[in-house]
Amino acid sequence: MLPCQNLRNFENTNMSNIKAQNVLDVLIHEKGLRIHSVYFNTDLDMMLVILNNKRVIQRNISDFKLLKNATSKQLENYENEGMGIYWKDLDEDLSLRGFLVNELIAA
């Protein structure tokens, strides 16, 4: 099959039928892994991301340029969308996938 025919077939594919190809995508899209809640401790420069499987991801607030100078009030003013966290006032969003990738690299 020629590449352009392959592309046409792909364009006609129902995306909901495509299975995840990577372990992180499987965890997120097929197994339903989500961010449950987020906690901050600015004195310790710590963000805790609690997942719905009861695991905890710990990151330094200062690792994120737009968060490191934020006030506690700004940090707490976020939207948890399950697959990501969004701070409207800071124009910052962090994805669950990004947190997981960082965990794999750090392991």
Side-chain angles (χ1 to χ4, degrees), residues 1 5 13 15-16 33 36 38 40 42 46-48 60 62 67 76-77 91-93 98-99 103 105 107:
M1 181 177 290
Q5 290 174 316
T13 302
M15 294 304 284
S16 64
L33 185 65
H36 179 271
V38 184
F40 302 94
T42 53
M46 185 182 346
M47 174 183 358
L48 298 177
N60 291 338
S62 62
L67 299 182
E76 294 294 339
N77 188 26
D91 193 28
E92 173 73 302
D93 58 89
F99 284 117
E103 288 294 294
I105 291 170

Side-chain angles (χ1 to χ4, degrees), residues 27-41:
L27 286 171
I28 295 168
H29 299 291
E30 293 180 18
K31 303 292 184 185
L33 185 65
R34 297 290 184 268
I35 296 170
H36 179 271
S37 51
V38 184
Y39 298 96
F40 302 94
N41 186 314

Side-chain angles (χ1 to χ4, degrees), residues 40-47 61 67 70-73 75:
F40 302 94
N41 186 314
T42 53
D43 291 336
L44 298 175
D45 186 28
M46 185 182 346
M47 174 183 358
I61 298 168
L67 299 182
T71 65
S72 294
K73 184 177 179 180
L75 288 174

Side-chain angles (χ1 to χ4, degrees), residues 41-99:
N41 186 314
T42 53
D43 291 336
L44 298 175
D45 186 28
M46 185 182 346
M47 174 183 358
L48 298 177
V49 180
I50 314 300
L51 305 179
N52 63 349
N53 65 358
K54 300 179 183 168
R55 300 203 184 232
V56 178
I57 296 174
Q58 179 180 327
R59 293 292 307 269
N60 291 338
I61 298 168
S62 62
D63 287 346
F64 305 99
K65 182 180 176 183
L66 295 175
L67 299 182
K68 72 178 177 181
N69 294 319
T71 65
S72 294
K73 184 177 179 180
Q74 288 174 313
L75 288 174
E76 294 294 339
N77 188 26
Y78 66 89
E79 295 175 28
N80 177 4
E81 299 171 351
M83 290 193 291
I85 310 163
Y86 177 61
W87 290 265
K88 183 178 180 180
D89 298 341
L90 301 170
D91 193 28
E92 173 73 302
D93 58 89
L94 302 175
S95 71
L96 172 57
R97 191 174 208 294
F99 284 117

